[in-house]
Structure formats: C-alpha cells, structure tokens
Amino acid sequence: MSLFGLKIGKKKLREEERQLQANNRDFNLQFEYANNSIKTSKYNFFTFLPLNLFEQFQRIANAYFLFLLILQLIPQISSLAWFTTVVPLVLVLAVSGVKDAIDDFNRHKSDKHVNNRPVQVLINGMLKDEKWMNVQVGDIIKLENNNFVTADLLLLSSSEPHSLTYIETAELDGETNLKVKQALTVTAELGEDLQKLTEFNGEVKCEAPNNKLDKFTGTLTLRGEKYALDNEKMLLRGCIIRNTEWCFGLVIYAGPDTKLMQNSGKTTFKRTSIDRLMNVLVLLIFAFLALMCLILAIGNGIWEYDRGYYFQVYLPWAEGVNSASYSGFLMFWSYVIILNTVVPISLYVSVEIIRLGNSFYIDWDRKMYYPQKDTPAQARTTTLNEELGQIKYIFSDKTGTLTQNIMCFNKCSINGKSYGDVYDMSGQRIEINEKTEKVDFSYNQLADPKFTFYDHSLVEAVKLGDVPTHRFFRLLSLCHTVMPEEKKEGNLVYQAQSPDEGALVTAARNFGFVFRARTPETITIVEMGETKVYKLLAILDFNNVRKRMSVIVRSPEGDLTLYCKGADTILYELLHSSCDSLKEETTEHLNEFAGEGLRTLVVAYKNLDEEYFQDWIRRHHEASTALEGREDKLSELYEEIEKDLMLLGATAIEDKLQDGVPQTIETLARASIKIWVLTGDKQETAMNISYSCNLLHDDMDDVFIIEGSTSDDVLQELRDARKKMKPNSFLDSDEINIQFEKSSKKPKVLPDEQANGVYGLVITGHSLAYALEENLELELVRTACMCKVVICCRVTPLQKAQVVELVKKYKKAVTLAIGDGANDVSMIKTAHIGVGISGQEGMQAVLSSDFSFAQFRYLQRLLLVHGRWSYIRMCKFLKYFFYKNFAFTLVHFWYGFFSGFSAQTVYDEWFITLYNLVYTSLPVLGMSLFDQDVDDRWSLLFPQLYVPGQQNLYFNKMVFVKCMFQGIYSSLILFFIPYGAMYNSVRSDGKAIADYQSFALMVQTCLLIVVSVQICLDTSYWTVVNQFFIWGSLSVYFAITFTMYSDGMYMIFTASFPFVGTARNTLSQPNVWLAIFLSITLCVLPVVGFRFLKTQLRPTPSDKVLLKIKEAKKRPPPPSPRRRLRRTSTRRSGYAFAHQHGFGALIMSGRNMRPKSPFATTGTFSPNSDKHKHKGL
C-alpha cells in the first residue's frame, strides 16, 4: 500500500530467483516486480515539507535556534522578543527549502523525460506506442535502429541474418565499438510475425536482479524444452541498437532492477568538510556558552543571596521568585538568550549567500565556456564550492573524459620512409595547425570527407603507382573485420569492432583503396577506381596471446597472399631475415611515433605457394572441427603459416586526447593532486592513453601491474609493490602497522606515506574484485596511495564507486570523480564532488553531477581558481564572523560582573538587532564574494598555492581557537577601556557623562570601528564594492544612531527610543574619541604585529609563493605556457588491444551477412561516370 508516495505495510521479501512468462501480465503481477519507471528525485508534493524540515533540523544550529525560540516564549526568562529569532529562522529554512525544491524539481523533470520516452509494446496482437514507465516484466517490445534499449531484454529475433543484433554499450562501459548479440534459434524463427510473437508463451527462470554487467544465467522453457540463456542473448538498458533495422525483446528486468540502475549507486546528501567542522565547532561554542551562563547564574545566585535579598525594597524580585538559587536558575536561561549571538543565525544565511555567489562565478566564467557545443560551465549544486579548493584525489574516466573517443590515422612508415610530417622549404619540420594546407582528396569520389591528412608526398606516391605504397594500403583495406554499410551508392559507413580498425580502413579508402563490400567468401575493393573482388580464404583471428590478425586472400589475378598486422614486438619475431635493414629504419619511426603518444602497429605480407596452401587449409579444416584441443591446434597452424613475413611498414593512430589534457594533468600534479583513472577499457589501451597524457612516463621508477587471478596472488603482488616503494613499511615499528594491530571496529584514517621514488600502479578489474575484499582493501589503499598515478582497467561502474568509497574510508582527503557516461554515475555520486562532462556518451553523468562543463581542461580552472578562491573566501569569512561575534557577545559577560548578574544588556536593543543584520553584514559579504589573494593567471602559474586547502590550514579547530582568544582579548579591551574612560568622568562643561547610556554608546562605537578595521586588514583585493560596503556601513551606523537618539524619535516613540540626546552629548567629547582611538589601537596592534613577525620569521610555503608573485609582478608578465608536452618512449600498442576475440569466425561463417549488396561484383568502377557521381563527396 502506498500513502503519499511512502511505502507502508509488509516489507517486500528479497528476491532469490526471477520467474516470468512472456505475454502474461496477470501471471507476472503476482511477483510484484518493479515496473520500468525510474525515480532519482527525493521528495513528492506531500513528503517535501516533513522530509525537508527533518533534513534541515539535522543541522545542529537550526535545532538550537528552535530551542531558543521556545525559551523566548517563556516570559519569566525572556529578555528579547520572540520575533527576533522566528523571522531569521523562517528565512533560513525557507531559502534552503526553496533551493532544495528547485533541485528536486529538476530531478523530477529529468525522470519524467526518461520515463515518457515512447516504445512499441506488443499488446493483444498489436504494436502499441507506450511510455517507458508503463512497460512491465514479461512484455514483448520492438526496438528499431538507433533506439535506446528500454529495459533489460532477452533478444527474441531481429532483422539481421541469424537474428544477430549490433549494439553500442558506451553508456555502460564507455566503449563505442560495436558488440554482437544473437537470439536463440527457437526464438529467431518468430521473426517479426506479430501472430507468432503474441502466441509465444515461453517461461524464463533466471537470477535475481544484480549489478554484474557481464554475467547472466537463466533458462527458457518453451513447449516442454529447456534452453540455456547467457549474457550473449541479453540487451541491457542504456545500450543503443546500431546497424539493425528492428529487433524484438522480452523484458526480464525493468526500471530499478535493470543492471544499469543497479550500478548507478544511491544519491547521497553531500556536505562539505567545513560544514561538518562547523557542526563540531557549534557544539564547542554551545559548551562554552553553557559554561559562561553557568558562571553568571552562580554569580547571580551569590549576589542575590548576599546583596539582593536585602535590596528588594529598591529592586524587588520578579513574581514567583522566592529564593536566590531560583533567581540564579532563571538567570541561566536569560543569559542563554542574551549570549546566543556567539552563534548567530545570520551565519548560515551568509554562508548560503556566499556559496550561491561563488556558484554564479562558475556559471559566468567565459574561460570555461565551450563555443563549439555552446556549453557553459554549470554549478549544479551550490553547497559544495569551497570543497573544490581541498581536492586531494581525482578519479577520472578515460573514454570521452581524457580522450575525445575519436581515432585518427596520423602517420605511417612505408618501406623505410616516414609520412605524416610537414616540412617547409628549408627542410625544417613545421607544426601542424588549423592553417596548414590539407591534402585534397577530391579526385577520389569515394573518399571520406571528414578524413584529414597533411603530408602531400604520400598522395603523390599513391598516384605514381609506388608498389610498396599500393601494397601497404591494399593490406589495410583487406586485413580487418570491419562491416561496410552502403544505403546510398557511394555513401559508405563502416561499422568497426574497434575504432582503431575503422581509422585504418578509412585511411586506405581515402588514399584510393576503398573497402566496398564483403561476403563470407569475398572482399570487394575499389583500387584506384577499379573494382576488384578478392576471395577470402581464411581469417587468422586475433587473441590476447597472438596480438595480431591475418587474412589469406586470392587476388583476381590468382595470386595467394597472407596479409598480417599486429604489435611490433610480436611481428618482428616473424619477419624474414632479408627485412633486417628495413626493420631498423621502421623501428626508428616507431619510436618517434610512440614518443608522440601514437598507437602504433606493424604490417607485413607473405606470398603463398598454392600446393603448400592447399595442404595447410586441409589441416586447418581438420583442426577447426576437432573436438579436443581445437584452440591449441589452430594456434600451431597459425604460427606455422605466419613465418618469414615481408615487412611493409607501420601505422600510427592518434587516440585524440581532449585539448589541453596533458597540460592540465601536469598542472594538477604540481598542485599535489593524485589522479586515478578508472576505465572499462582494456589494460593496454588505458596504459597507452596514460602515457600519451603524461600520467605515466618513462622517468618513473617503476609501474606495477597487478593482474593476479586469485586473492593470494593479488595480495602478494600488492605487497611486493609496497616493499619496493617503502621497505620499512613491513617493520613492526611502523606507525600504521602499530595502529591497525590494535583491535577496533572503527575505521582508522591512514596517514600519508611517502614512497622512495615516483611510481605508478595498474590493476585489472578481475584483480580489483579480490583487492576490494575486506581482508585486502587495506593493502590496496596503502599501496595505491603511495603511487603518483593509479590506473584501474576493465572495471564495472560499481567497482568505480567502491574504489572511491575505499579512499574516502581510509584517507582524510577530499575526493572528486569526473566522467561523461552513465557508467560513471555511481562514482560521481559517491565522491565528495562529482563533475560531469557533457560529451559523447549522453547526459547521464551531467544529470548526476555537482558541477559540469564540456572539456577536461576546465577542471584545472574549476579547482585552482574557483575552488581555491571559494575556500579562501569561506575561511576568511568564518574567521572574521566568529571573531566579531565573540568580541560583540563577551562584552555582555564582563558587564555581568558590574550589573549584579542581572542579564541586563550592554548595548542598546536596536544596536543588538542591527549589528549582524545591517552594520557588519555587507563588509564581510563583500570580502567573501570578491576577495582574491592572487588573480586567476597567477593561481594557474603557481599550483602550489592550492596545497594549504588540501591540508585544511586556513580554517580548522586551531584557527577557531585563535579567533576565539582574539575575540576574548578584544572584548576585554572594548569593555574595560571605555569603562575606565567613563568612570567618574565629566564633560567639559562640568556635567557628568558616567551614565549607562553614554557607556553603551561608547562601547558599541568602539566595537563597530574595531571590526571594520579588522576586515580591512583581512581584505587582500580591494574593489569599489568593498570600499562602499565598509564606509557605507560606518556611515549608516552613525546616521541611524543620531536619528534614533534624537529628540524627535523620542517624542514620537517614547518607549522604543529611550537614549534621547546621548549621541550628540557623548560623541562631542574629545576624551571619548581618545578612548575610542586607544581601544582600536590596542585591539588591532597585536594582530598586525603577529602577522608581520609570522611572515618574516616563520613563513609558510604559501607566503613564499606569494612573495615570489609579488616580485614577479614588478617584472613584465611571463607569456602563458603553450609548450607542447612530448615524451620519449619505446612503448607501443595498436588496434589489437581494443579488439574482440572471435569476430573473424563470425564473418567467415556468414551469419552476420546480408545477401543484398549490389556492389560485390568484379568490374571497373569509374568515379567520373554519371552513374557513380555523388553529391557532397
């Protein structure tokens, strides 16, 4: 039963196994499976008020002000009106409530957008358009090309041969290469026959909903027969249908039960470390307040017992008070009300305003605006700004975050000559930019218009008929597993298993060797305008051991050739001895390519003897049909034929990094921020990109690779790594070992450990699963946190969140997660700060994030500029705010000793009301919104300035205690100097001014000028606004004071303004101003002296950097760093590392072929003929 959106009644039992029947909603409803609607919002119309108020009163200060309000309603102890607390409390709750409501409204909007997407559902024999939210478990739905998959489906049939379906899983694992799913033969027969699909009543039993993306087990029972189901027959929510006209699927899991949602993690209420610290400090202040009230209450009891009891004729006790002890009890609560300004409610209003203002700076920052996609930076949460200035660990996705997810054919080496670089007239290599002239491919009507290349000499070599160059591109157009799609003649689209392969085939296409069509037995190529059909005799498929693939083809002329491409370390072992000199030249080129972070690959060929090949193909057939040792036998045959290859050259592909990624990573590293890459990609791909963007480099002492297949192996590998980095960390005397030997259930915080060099750590998803177990997690976090860089590859979305959670658990550090896909949502939600990049993989990451922008490079500005400024401003604000309120409030405490502990206020009531609201609010807001110790350019040039934020140096418990003592000292000066100056003094005309009203005015004037001078000392960056706020506040104070203390106001409101004439009488006396000047000097001088001596004698690292900047400002400004980061490395990887085993067998079987390509015929293709002219190509 549901009431107002809240579930009431018996708790739903945990699901152990799922059972469902196709096309039978009545049967499936009995299990109460979730429907397909998703909910990321927190409130509904009825629950908003109670839940939001409950959340807000979890703030100790809000609960405290509610308690104060109750006290003020009791007349015996109330010395202030009830509305002085009600109005600001309601204002604070309302402002926070409205902000939470807007945030939740946006979540509702996002949910509604997803839940209302249309999908075709089979109902009563007809396809009906339904909303996603109305889809239920057991429904059969139809999806078409480029549709998002609605729920987790069992694939029943599709438009493709053998019911294959191509899907893109970027939302799940960040990979854009296509994956193939295949339906069971028994369901494939259903096709798109709606009658058969309606009659289909198969019963599925499968595992309960879980978060394992790569695993599914179940059975389908149909007409008494059982069929096994696995992950290869499942289409998961979040995938996109590609290259498939239509397919039908049976809903197995819906909505929150889908694997995507199971991996998305919970939305948590994020609070900054300063928020948590303020809660602790508020408790300390309460304790201090209670102590002061207790002292004053005891003092009142003693005074009433000793003096007041005999003084009742003049000062009678209040009604109901019949003893000194009861009077002391009441005075305790009266002083609680009077002294409550040590934690004024305006503190929380001001904090929200400052955060909101600093959020607008992020939204308005033009330097974080991406014009190509018209995407500005956005602060989606306004409560976490200062946390941006304290980040210690960044967890980044790779695909789409560090890279653009675009592969580009960049350079190549053919027959010992390197192509791709551009040279000027003097033979000097010039850097390629937007102005560099591109190669004109207009002569080739089938060229891809998006392909760009700059080296004209390669095109000339092709046009001149250079044999090795033709052979090189012929190899690239034949040796692959790409599928072509040509819906319009000449308009070719390649569907590649890996983006690397797509880039190579596209390069061959543009240089005149166009891969046009394929069947299981043939490959059709248009070579320099002439169509040729090659017979495809064998595909020697890729696997992780071979790291290469080969094809054996027969040309139209009858020549037998093996073409091979793969990793250089593997292929170099298979080359003929005659290639040694060419191998040396190619190696030089490979090193140069790899040094620029390009993904390299070696290509070779071999002409085959007909007789030998016939014998080999016979043995190949026997091996491929063998029941035992099939893989080993095939591997031996592959090794046998792939020998004595002739080297052709090498390719270099750029996995395009986003602009400025290496520079951003280098800058963040100089700010002592550690970067962990968490990606679903393969190990080699992830490592290659890490080298490209300067995360890993050859200067590192070592890069540890953790790839153990058992828990013990992983533990040993982690320990070996830690032993090398810090040998003495295994000693019994080690601080951390001692700390964790003491048995305690409370998680302990690990202190930072320094390694004896610079190290990197790479761990695979399989090994990470073991490392995240409870008995290994401590070893993982100790070893990983000693490394400069950590790369976790092949990780699931949930593992990403677990890694972030692990660091949060054991490290007292602020974490940030950044990603662009649905697979990053869980880690974005888990980290202290979540950043979404609006990129290639949809908007799910942005919708779950706290901050968003379009490019990774903007992260350095977000942290080093906006984050650091926000943190410094918030710290300065808190220090000043606590100081001014301690100085203000404690004067009451000292006055209690001179007023019989009677809870009489020192100041005029109007001054108490306006002190935080008018007189001191704007100057501190001005500082908190505009202050900056250095501008944005220096912040980026000196990232070391970021470090104090990580160490929380600007505001912590010790800083608070210093503020408190400064406030106590100032309150002593502010009370006793005016008291001494007023005591028994007279005016120049002989009249006395030693009265309460004159004393009150003098104290409050001293106080206001002292706190104004203090904020001037705290302000680093002066603007017109700051000047206006400070001088304006002082002017307003004097204007209001003279107005309220005037005769006219007294005549109109006699009871409200009793201080008639006090201002003009008191402030006209020179001795009063002398006392005010003395008070200001005594309050400010120690602060100035302490700061000066500290900077001179014990400067912090920040002080030293600021001094450097001050000196640098006197010189001409340095040019912005625009150097290109390069590395030298012998590391290379290629297409094979992003490839999938077994795709070659699928092509050779013909199960994925459509028998409808009209271009797979031998003949001549003339691009200039009328028949083959294509517009726009």
Side-chain angles (χ1 to χ4, degrees):
M1 176 182 171
S2 175
L3 178 67
F4 304 150
L6 295 170
K7 294 280 182 185
I8 309 175
K10 62 180 183 179
K11 193 176 178 183
K12 190 180 175 185
L13 295 172
R14 189 178 172 188
E15 196 176 335
E16 298 293 335
E17 184 186 57
R18 175 152 294 205
Q19 184 179 355
L20 61 104
Q21 214 171 72
N23 292 314
N24 192 342
R25 282 192 171 184
D26 294 335
F27 175 81
N28 299 327
L29 281 171
Q30 66 179 314
F31 300 106
E32 296 183 6
Y33 296 138
N35 66 12
N36 203 42
S37 69
I38 59 161
K39 178 175 174 285
T40 59
S41 54
K42 287 159 69 176
Y43 317 107
N44 62 31
F45 182 78
F46 298 101
T47 61
F48 173 74
L49 202 59
L51 284 179
N52 188 259
L53 285 175
F54 174 72
E55 277 180 8
Q56 291 211 53
F57 281 115
Q58 284 182 321
R59 260 188 181 170
I60 293 168
N62 285 346
Y64 164 67
F65 290 120
L66 185 64
F67 171 66
L68 267 185
L69 176 60
I70 295 165
L71 285 184
Q72 287 183 330
L73 296 174
I74 303 168
Q76 284 85 352
I77 61 172
S78 179
S79 51
L80 293 169
W82 60 271
F83 57 79
T84 56
T85 300
V86 167
V87 173
L89 179 61
V90 169
L91 184 69
V92 169
L93 296 176
V95 168
S96 298
V98 166
K99 190 166 65 62
D100 290 341
I102 291 169
D103 287 348
D104 208 57
F105 176 73
N106 289 332
R107 284 192 284 267
H108 272 287
K109 231 161 88 174
S110 163
D111 291 348
K112 191 176 177 183
H113 173 72
V114 173
N115 289 332
N116 288 339
R117 282 177 180 167
V119 65
Q120 296 178 73
V121 183
L122 186 64
I123 300 173
N124 300 326
M126 294 173 64
L127 284 172
K128 293 184 180 174
D129 282 339
E130 271 285 6
K131 293 176 179 176
W132 274 30
M133 62 192 287
N134 297 328
V135 172
Q136 295 182 15
V137 170
D139 287 353
I140 291 176
I141 64 175
K142 181 183 181 181
L143 297 172
E144 294 176 344
N145 198 29
N146 297 327
N147 280 178
F148 276 98
V149 177
T150 311
D152 288 357
L153 310 176
L154 171 66
L155 179 61
L156 297 178
S157 62
S158 85
S159 57
E160 303 307 293
H162 304 278
S163 277
L164 294 174
T165 299
Y166 298 92
I167 58 167
E168 186 182 287
T169 59
E171 291 283 358
L172 295 176
D173 56 19
E175 293 185 4
T176 52
N177 46 303
L178 298 185
K179 295 181 175 63
V180 184
K181 302 288 181 176
Q182 185 175 13
L184 287 166
T185 311
V186 68
T187 62
E189 294 164 359
L190 301 171
E192 56 179 334
D193 187 327
L194 296 186
Q195 185 63 36
K196 285 183 181 178
L197 285 162
T198 306
E199 291 167 0
F200 176 70
N201 62 350
E203 192 168 312
V204 173
K205 283 187 179 178
C206 62
E207 61 195 16
N210 59 67
N211 53 41
K212 293 172 183 169
L213 292 172
D214 56 349
K215 183 175 168 288
F216 176 80
T217 52
T219 57
L220 170 68
T221 307
L222 184 65
R223 297 190 285 272
E225 293 287 323
K226 273 192 177 182
Y227 303 90
L229 303 177
D230 58 26
N231 203 46
E232 296 306 306
K233 296 166 185 63
M234 292 292 292
L235 306 178
L236 301 185
R237 180 179 179 135
C239 298
I240 302 173
I241 306 295
R242 296 288 193 214
N243 206 20
T244 306
E245 283 184 24
W246 55 261
C247 66
F248 285 87
L250 171 66
V251 178
I252 306 293
Y253 305 119
D257 292 341
T258 57
K259 291 185 185 282
L260 176 67
M261 295 305 291
Q262 291 273 312
N263 269 290
S264 68
K266 291 181 180 176
T267 302
T268 53
F269 180 59
K270 293 183 178 182
R271 305 180 73 171
T272 67
S273 54
I274 283 184
D275 263 341
R276 292 188 290 273
L277 176 62
M278 274 168 61
N279 266 354
V280 175
L281 295 182
V282 167
L283 283 174
L284 288 173
I285 292 169
F286 289 163
F288 182 63
L289 176 64
L291 178 65
M292 287 194 296
C293 294
L294 185 63
I295 291 168
L296 293 167
I298 292 169
N300 177 264
I302 293 168
W303 192 88
E304 292 290 358
Y305 180 79
D306 190 38
R307 296 281 180 88
Y309 180 75
Y310 305 103
F311 209 52
Q312 289 189 56
V313 176
Y314 182 67
L315 276 178
W317 283 355
E319 191 180 335
V321 177
N322 50 22
S323 69
S325 57
Y326 185 53
S327 173
F329 173 74
L330 291 179
M331 281 304 157
F332 176 85
W333 298 110
S334 294
Y335 271 114
V336 166
I337 294 169
I338 287 173
L339 301 177
N340 81 78
T341 47
V342 281
V343 189
I345 199 163
S346 59
L347 170 69
Y348 289 92
V349 180
S350 303
V351 164
E352 293 299 328
I353 291 169
I354 292 164
R355 285 175 173 163
L356 189 65
N358 284 311
S359 298
F360 283 133
Y361 290 149
I362 294 169
D363 295 345
W364 295 337
D365 192 342
R366 290 184 180 182
K367 291 180 182 175
M368 292 170 69
Y369 169 71
Y370 190 56
Q372 273 115 310
K373 291 191 176 177
D374 188 26
T375 309
Q378 189 181 6
R380 297 173 53 81
T381 305
T382 57
T383 55
L384 303 171
N385 305 52
E386 69 271 12
E387 198 99 301
L388 289 169
Q390 299 180 274
I391 303 298
K392 182 70 180 170
Y393 290 90
I394 291 176
F395 300 91
S396 174
D397 176 40
K398 180 194 75 69
T399 311
T401 304
L402 298 176
T403 65
Q404 295 181 33
N405 215 3
I406 299 168
M407 298 291 178
C408 244
F409 181 85
N410 197 293
K411 294 180 181 180
C412 62
S413 169
I414 303 174
N415 199 32
K417 187 177 178 188
S418 176
Y419 295 96
D421 286 320
V422 180
Y423 298 89
D424 60 17
M425 300 298 287
S426 61
Q428 294 293 314
R429 188 164 71 174
I430 58 174
E431 192 168 339
I432 292 168
N433 55 41
E434 292 174 3
K435 294 178 182 176
T436 310
E437 188 188 355
K438 296 175 185 175
V439 170
D440 181 13
F441 291 108
S442 58
Y443 71 91
N444 179 359
Q445 292 294 307
L446 290 175
D448 184 344
K450 294 177 197 160
F451 181 85
T452 55
F453 201 75
Y454 298 93
D455 187 354
H456 295 260
S457 61
L458 185 55
V459 182
E460 295 305 316
V462 172
K463 286 180 177 177
L464 290 170
D466 182 61
V467 175
T469 307
H470 276 220
R471 191 174 278 143
F472 177 86
F473 284 114
R474 187 177 295 117
L475 182 149
L476 295 185
S477 64
L478 291 168
C479 184
H480 55 78
T481 56
V482 173
M483 297 295 297
E485 192 173 7
E486 191 168 3
K487 288 187 175 175
K488 290 181 182 176
E489 191 176 337
N491 185 10
L492 276 168
V493 177
Y494 292 141
Q495 299 290 354
Q497 255 275 295
S498 70
D500 310 56
E501 281 220 303
L504 293 173
V505 176
T506 302
R509 165 185 175 179
N510 275 61
F511 283 103
F513 289 75
V514 185
F515 167 54
R516 195 74 187 272
R518 83 181 321 145
T519 70
E521 297 87 23
T522 63
I523 297 176
T524 304
I525 307 294
V526 178
E527 289 186 10
M528 304 304 289
E530 185 182 348
T531 302
K532 290 188 176 181
V533 179
Y534 288 81
K535 285 189 178 176
L536 180 61
L537 304 173
I539 294 180
L540 282 57
D541 208 0
F542 158 87
N543 67 33
N544 278 323
V545 178
R546 283 167 45 75
K547 293 188 179 176
R548 64 187 184 275
M549 78 159 285
S550 301
V551 294
I552 299 174
V553 295
R554 191 189 299 277
S555 70
E557 294 78 28
D559 298 328
L560 270 176
T561 313
L562 177 144
Y563 292 110
C564 181
K565 65 180 180 184
D568 58 319
T569 49
I570 303 293
L571 247 68
Y572 272 9
E573 301 298 317
L574 308 175
L575 295 179
H576 192 271
S577 56
S578 62
C579 298
D580 286 351
S581 62
L582 179 57
K583 188 161 80 171
E584 284 178 21
E585 291 173 343
T586 307
T587 303
E588 279 182 33
H589 295 153
L590 282 170
N591 287 335
E592 188 183 326
F593 299 158
E596 294 175 29
L598 303 177
R599 296 157 70 93
T600 58
L601 189 69
V602 169
V603 295
Y605 75 101
K606 178 183 179 181
N607 292 318
L608 298 175
D609 175 66
E610 182 71 41
E611 192 178 327
Y612 166 74
F613 174 72
Q614 292 303 331
D615 176 56
W616 183 89
I617 199 76
R618 178 185 55 76
R619 287 182 289 136
H620 177 267
H621 178 71
E622 289 172 4
S624 61
T625 53
L627 296 176
E628 290 182 8
R630 182 184 302 174
E631 291 295 326
D632 292 338
K633 288 176 181 175
L634 283 173
S635 184
E636 283 175 24
L637 280 169
Y638 292 168
E639 293 282 345
E640 179 190 315
I641 201 166
E642 290 172 328
K643 277 182 183 173
D644 297 330
L645 302 177
M646 302 302 292
L647 180 62
L648 266 175
T651 63
I653 291 175
E654 183 182 4
D655 186 354
K656 280 203 164 182
L657 293 173
Q658 287 198 8
D659 292 342
V661 166
Q663 291 88 343
T664 301
I665 284 170
E666 189 203 28
T667 305
L668 294 173
R670 284 168 57 211
S672 294
I673 297 172
K674 293 190 175 181
I675 299 176
W676 293 27
V677 177
L678 312 178
T679 176
D681 260 356
K682 287 184 171 63
Q683 177 185 320
E684 290 85 351
T685 313
M687 286 182 74
N688 193 72
I689 290 299
S690 300
Y691 274 104
S692 300
C693 59
N694 269 34
L695 273 169
L696 297 176
H697 48 83
D698 288 344
D699 295 337
M700 284 184 160
D701 294 83
D702 202 351
V703 177
F704 306 110
I705 297 176
I706 311 297
E707 48 189 355
S709 52
T710 67
S711 185
D712 291 339
D713 289 348
V714 172
L715 178 63
Q716 191 56 49
E717 287 175 351
L718 288 170
R719 283 189 169 163
D720 289 346
R722 179 155 67 91
K723 196 167 188 178
K724 182 169 182 180
M725 289 189 286
K726 191 181 178 186
N728 57 3
S729 65
F730 286 90
L731 299 175
D732 293 336
S733 58
D734 183 71
E735 178 193 342
I736 297 174
N737 294 335
I738 294 166
Q739 184 185 343
F740 277 83
E741 275 170 13
K742 295 174 185 172
S743 58
S744 169
K745 290 182 181 177
K746 187 184 174 186
K748 296 181 178 71
V749 174
L750 278 172
D752 283 341
E753 296 181 89
Q754 293 300 320
N756 56 17
V758 180
Y759 296 92
L761 181 82
V762 179
I763 184 166
T764 61
H766 183 72
S767 302
L768 186 62
Y770 292 114
L772 288 170
E773 289 172 0
E774 199 173 342
N775 57 328
L776 263 72
E777 63 177 22
L778 181 62
E779 190 63 51
L780 172 65
V781 81
R782 279 192 77 177
T783 305
C785 288
M786 268 194 261
C787 297
K788 189 176 174 65
V789 175
V790 177
I791 296 155
C792 304
C793 28
R794 276 291 176 217
V795 291
T796 65
L798 196 68
Q799 280 180 324
K800 291 184 178 187
Q802 287 172 332
V803 170
V804 176
E805 191 60 56
L806 184 67
V807 173
K808 280 173 70 179
K809 178 180 174 182
Y810 284 109
K811 285 287 180 181
K812 192 178 178 181
V814 181
T815 58
L816 178 145
I818 180 168
D820 73 322
N823 57 320
D824 304 314
V825 167
S826 53
M827 77 168 177
I828 283 172
K829 287 181 176 178
T830 305
H832 293 103
I833 301 278
V835 177
I837 289 186
S838 44
Q840 305 280 330
E841 298 176 25
M843 292 292 286
Q844 275 78 357
V846 169
L847 293 172
S848 304
S849 67
D850 305 307
F851 300 90
S852 68
F853 41 70
Q855 294 277 291
F856 181 84
R857 69 175 184 271
Y858 299 147
L859 184 62
Q860 63 179 332
R861 189 167 177 84
L862 182 72
L863 301 188
L864 304 185
V865 178
H866 292 288
R868 202 177 72 83
W869 282 350
S870 295
Y871 172 68
I872 290 172
R873 287 165 183 166
M874 185 61 72
C875 293
K876 280 190 173 186
F877 165 78
L878 291 172
K879 284 191 287 189
Y880 174 76
F881 211 93
F882 283 122
Y883 160 72
K884 79 180 177 70
N885 282 293
F886 270 108
F888 169 72
T889 307
L890 286 169
V891 175
H892 287 300
F893 180 76
W894 309 124
Y895 185 59
F897 290 90
F898 294 84
S899 62
F901 306 98
S902 58
Q904 185 184 4
T905 58
V906 180
Y907 315 108
D908 170 21
E909 275 197 2
W910 285 104
F911 181 79
I912 294 172
T913 307
L914 298 174
Y915 177 71
N916 279 311
L917 198 64
V918 176
Y919 300 147
T920 60
S921 59
L922 289 179
V924 72
L925 278 178
M927 180 186 72
S928 308
L929 290 173
F930 302 108
D931 202 50
Q932 42 183 272
D933 53 350
V934 293
D935 65 22
D936 55 344
R937 191 167 55 89
W938 294 108
S939 295
L940 294 169
L941 280 173
F942 290 92
Q944 308 91 307
L945 287 169
Y946 190 80
V947 175
Q950 296 170 333
Q951 298 168 353
N952 209 14
L953 296 182
Y954 291 149
F955 190 76
N956 50 46
K957 288 174 189 170
M958 186 54 67
V959 171
F960 170 74
V961 170
K962 286 178 185 173
C963 292
M964 188 171 146
F965 279 117
Q966 187 189 351
I968 293 169
Y969 166 75
S970 293
S971 69
L972 280 165
I973 300 293
L974 291 168
F975 177 78
F976 284 104
I977 296 292
Y979 180 79
M982 283 283 184
Y983 192 68
N984 286 337
S985 63
V986 291
R987 293 193 324 191
S988 54
D989 59 3
K991 292 181 181 178
I993 56 167
D995 60 90
Y996 162 70
Q997 292 185 343
S998 298
F999 172 69
L1001 177 65
M1002 189 174 171
V1003 171
Q1004 61 198 38
T1005 304
C1006 283
L1007 170 70
L1008 199 62
I1009 296 174
V1010 164
V1011 296
S1012 297
V1013 172
Q1014 181 64 45
I1015 202 161
C1016 291
L1017 292 174
D1018 289 346
T1019 302
S1020 304
Y1021 183 70
W1022 285 93
T1023 64
V1024 175
V1025 179
N1026 293 80
Q1027 297 273 8
F1028 177 73
F1029 281 170
I1030 291 171
W1031 295 111
S1033 295
L1034 285 170
S1035 304
V1036 166
Y1037 164 69
F1038 284 111
I1040 289 174
T1041 301
F1042 276 96
T1043 304
M1044 289 198 304
Y1045 296 177
S1046 67
D1047 298 348
M1049 291 299 283
Y1050 178 72
M1051 297 292 287
I1052 301 166
F1053 305 104
T1054 307
S1056 300
F1057 299 102
F1059 280 45
V1060 60
T1062 308
R1064 65 174 180 267
N1065 288 337
T1066 307
L1067 296 178
S1068 62
Q1069 301 303 308
N1071 60 333
V1072 169
W1073 283 106
L1074 192 62
I1076 290 172
F1077 178 74
L1078 181 62
S1079 301
I1080 295 164
T1081 306
L1082 288 172
C1083 285
V1084 171
L1085 203 59
V1087 178
V1088 174
F1090 175 76
R1091 290 185 184 180
F1092 175 76
L1093 290 171
K1094 184 173 173 290
T1095 310
Q1096 295 300 314
L1097 303 176
R1098 292 186 62 187
T1100 62
S1102 284
D1103 291 334
K1104 292 173 184 173
V1105 173
L1106 287 169
L1107 187 66
K1108 274 187 195 173
I1109 291 172
K1110 205 174 278 184
E1111 290 169 0
K1113 279 180 179 176
K1114 296 171 186 173
R1115 301 192 296 269
S1120 299
R1122 293 183 60 83
R1123 61 199 178 84
R1124 185 177 177 187
L1125 292 170
R1126 296 173 74 91
R1127 68 182 180 89
T1128 53
S1129 170
T1130 53
R1131 171 174 184 78
R1132 295 180 290 277
S1133 68
Y1135 87 102
F1137 301 131
H1139 205 55
Q1140 185 173 316
H1141 173 59
F1143 207 59
L1146 187 67
I1147 288 171
M1148 291 296 288
S1149 69
R1151 287 184 294 141
N1152 63 335
M1153 300 294 175
R1154 299 190 198 191
K1156 57 185 182 186
S1157 175
F1159 309 110
T1161 52
T1162 309
T1164 301
F1165 172 79
S1166 173
N1168 298 316
S1169 69
D1170 291 338
K1171 184 182 176 183
H1172 294 296
K1173 278 184 180 173
H1174 306 289
K1175 290 179 184 177
L1177 283 176

